[in-house]
């Protein structure tokens, strides 16, 4: 399932030794990891040792993968993308309709810089291949007219299409949606302190004892243990989009997975990464791609216009640019 949008791997610095002053824990943290959503998924509980809760959380993630994947043939997204010619509406589950509607919201908010109907183009790029190649320009040109979020509507649980060519790729928003559902499950199970990490989409449940969680943000193009800074958060999401996780280089050009719906090629706008702090992970997921796609100036203008969302933009010269209020979350490493 190609839901890994190249999120920057966010390092978790949550151990008591790193936090300092946490005191003795009544329980030891327990974790469960697995390869789901085309990435490594890890759930860690800090106030419970109930392995059954971890199993249930991973099962839930697996269920959503089976619902929202564009490559699993039994998923609703696969069925949408392979619907019979002439089909102009399809009924789906409430969850699938909700994710698509959220994707359309960010497509509209960005003026199409973020577009969930990018699938005809994204399917041409294979960033996971052992020998990735730049697609044939004629194929990109041929499929570009199929892209356009205006061709898609949601009415209740029905998805409406204006033509046969519209297909969907939820890779830029589905992990955030799934993380939020996993958090709801943990809360229902009585968990009050946990971290959900979907390949770099980090969602905190509560705090780490009496202290906030410390999340390190990876330095672009560096090893996973080198960070540009640390944020301290409670009950929040930390999501990043960057140009170097899912990428390849050909003839001196770095091709990454964040594609411009107007050209069919990766964005070239001077940014290497955007990190979003938000209450809901689905918003962090959508905004990280949206703000990256808009570029520094327009992306900053957008994030500053929103409530309860903050951002760090990293430009290709290594400089960090903070949205209004973001620095309150940044701490010394």
């Amino acid at each position: 399932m190609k839901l890994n949008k190249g999120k920057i791997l966010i390092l978790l610095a949550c151990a008591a030794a790193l936090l300092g002053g946490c005191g003795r824990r009544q329980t030891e943290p327990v974790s469960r990891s697995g390869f789901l959503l085309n990435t490594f998924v890890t759930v860690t509980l800090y106030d419970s040792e109930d392995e059954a809760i971890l199993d249930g959380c991973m099962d839930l993630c697996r269920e959503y993968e089976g619902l929202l994947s564009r490559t699993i043939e039994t998923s609703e997204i696969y069925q949408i993308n392979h619907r019979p010619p002439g089909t102009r509406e399809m009924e789906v589950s409430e969850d699938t309709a909700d994710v698509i509607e959220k994707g359309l919201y960010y497509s509209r908010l960005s003026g199409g810089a973020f577009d969930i109907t990018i699938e005809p183009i994204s399917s041409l790029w294979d960033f996971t291949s052992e020998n990735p190649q730049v697609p044939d320009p004629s194929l990109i040109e041929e499929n570009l007219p199929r892209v356009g979020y205006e061709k898609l509507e949601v009415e209740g649980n029905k998805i409406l299409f204006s033509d046969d060519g519209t297909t969907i790729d939820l890779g830029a928003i589905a992990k955030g949606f799934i993380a939020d559902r996993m958090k709801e499950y943990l809360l229902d199970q009585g968990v009050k302190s946990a971290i959900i990490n979907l390949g770099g989409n980090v969602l905190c449940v509560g705090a780490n004892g009496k202290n906030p969680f410390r999340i390190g943000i990876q330095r672009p193009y560096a090893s996973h243990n080198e960070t540009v800074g640390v944020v301290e958060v409670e009950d929040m999401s930390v999501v990043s989009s960057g140009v170097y996780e899912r990428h390849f280089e050909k003839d001196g050009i770095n091709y990454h997975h964040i594609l411009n719906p107007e050209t069919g090629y990766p964005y070239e706008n001077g940014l290497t990464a955007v990190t979003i702090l938000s209450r809901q992970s689905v918003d962090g997921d959508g905004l990280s791609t949206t703000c990256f796609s808009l570029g520094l100036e327009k992306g900053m203008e957008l994030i500053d216009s929103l409530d309860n969302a903050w951002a760090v933009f990293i430009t290709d010269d290594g400089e960090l640019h903070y949205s209004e209020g973001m620095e309150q979350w940044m701490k010394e490493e």
Side-chain angles (χ1 to χ4, degrees):
M1 180 182 185
K2 297 193 176 178
L3 286 182
N4 185 350
K5 51 177 278 189
K7 296 291 190 216
I8 303 169
L9 181 60
I10 301 182
L11 307 173
L12 302 181
C14 306
L18 294 180
L19 285 170
C22 283
R24 294 182 60 84
R25 292 186 177 279
Q26 294 182 346
T27 60
E28 290 298 320
V30 292
S31 294
R32 181 79 80 251
S33 296
F35 193 79
L36 297 165
L37 312 177
N38 200 40
T39 190
F40 285 100
V41 171
T42 301
V43 180
T44 304
L45 309 182
Y46 290 88
D47 65 344
S48 172
E49 295 179 342
D50 191 339
E51 302 275 345
I53 294 177
L54 290 173
D55 291 336
C57 202
M58 298 298 283
D59 288 344
L60 184 65
C61 184
R62 192 172 293 107
E63 289 175 16
Y64 277 110
E65 179 176 27
L67 188 68
L68 302 175
S69 167
R70 69 179 176 90
T71 58
I72 297 176
E73 294 187 7
T74 54
S75 79
E76 291 191 334
I77 299 303
Y78 187 95
Q79 297 302 316
I80 286 173
N81 291 347
H82 295 82
R83 63 191 182 276
T87 302
R88 291 295 175 266
E89 67 176 52
M90 291 183 67
E91 188 160 350
V92 297
S93 65
E94 183 177 349
D95 282 326
T96 298
D98 286 347
V99 183
I100 294 174
E101 182 56 53
K102 197 70 170 181
L104 286 175
Y105 168 78
Y106 282 109
S107 298
R108 292 188 291 266
L109 189 67
S110 69
F114 169 108
D115 196 321
I116 62 169
T117 66
I118 192 70
E119 196 277 338
I121 299 299
S122 62
S123 63
L124 300 177
W125 293 83
D126 187 354
F127 293 95
T128 62
S129 169
E130 292 184 2
N131 185 29
Q133 301 291 327
V134 178
D136 187 325
S138 64
L139 287 176
I140 292 178
E141 184 177 356
E142 176 185 337
N143 283 279
L144 271 179
R146 296 173 56 191
V147 179
Y149 68 91
E150 305 93 340
K151 303 175 184 180
L152 194 66
E153 292 183 42
V154 178
E155 290 186 1
N157 285 6
K158 289 184 177 180
I159 312 301
L160 310 181
F161 316 93
S162 64
D163 58 35
D164 290 337
T166 303
T167 51
I168 300 171
D169 185 343
L170 297 176
I173 203 162
K175 283 200 296 182
F177 178 87
I178 294 170
D180 289 332
R181 302 291 80 73
M182 293 169 72
K183 180 176 179 177
E184 288 177 1
Y185 168 81
L186 292 179
L187 292 172
D188 288 343
Q189 299 301 311
V191 173
K192 297 179 180 178
S193 179
I195 283 197
I196 300 162
N197 186 354
L198 305 188
N201 280 51
V202 175
L203 181 58
C204 301
V205 179
N208 192 1
K210 295 181 179 180
N211 296 277
F213 286 108
R214 289 172 59 87
I215 311 296
I217 304 171
Q218 186 189 336
R219 184 180 301 279
Y221 298 107
S223 65
H224 287 159
N225 60 2
E226 186 175 350
T227 62
V228 297
V230 171
V231 295
E232 291 189 353
V233 295
E234 299 181 16
D235 222 32
M236 291 181 67
S237 166
V238 184
V239 180
S240 298
S241 289
V243 303
Y244 58 85
E245 260 248 319
R246 287 176 55 205
H247 73 111
F248 63 89
E249 188 172 310
K250 288 288 183 181
D251 301 322
I253 300 175
N254 182 51
Y255 294 95
H256 59 85
H257 73 288
I258 308 176
L259 303 175
N260 186 338
E262 290 189 1
T263 68
Y265 290 89
Y267 276 103
E268 296 181 60
N269 58 16
L271 291 176
T272 57
V274 175
T275 296
I276 301 291
L277 270 64
S278 60
R279 303 298 180 187
Q280 300 289 319
S281 189
V282 68
D283 293 316
D285 215 357
L287 282 170
S288 64
T289 302
T290 294
C291 289
F292 186 101
S293 300
L294 289 172
L296 178 59
E297 184 177 343
K298 291 183 178 180
M300 189 72 77
E301 182 180 345
L302 173 62
I303 200 72
D304 284 340
S305 72
L306 302 175
D307 295 327
N308 297 318
W310 302 266
V312 179
F313 294 75
I314 305 178
T315 46
D316 53 17
D317 59 3
E319 289 294 316
L320 275 61
H321 306 262
Y322 300 108
S323 69
E324 293 178 8
M326 179 64 199
E327 290 183 271
Q328 69 180 303
W329 307 104
M330 302 296 297
K331 305 298 177 182
E332 293 184 4
E333 297 184 59

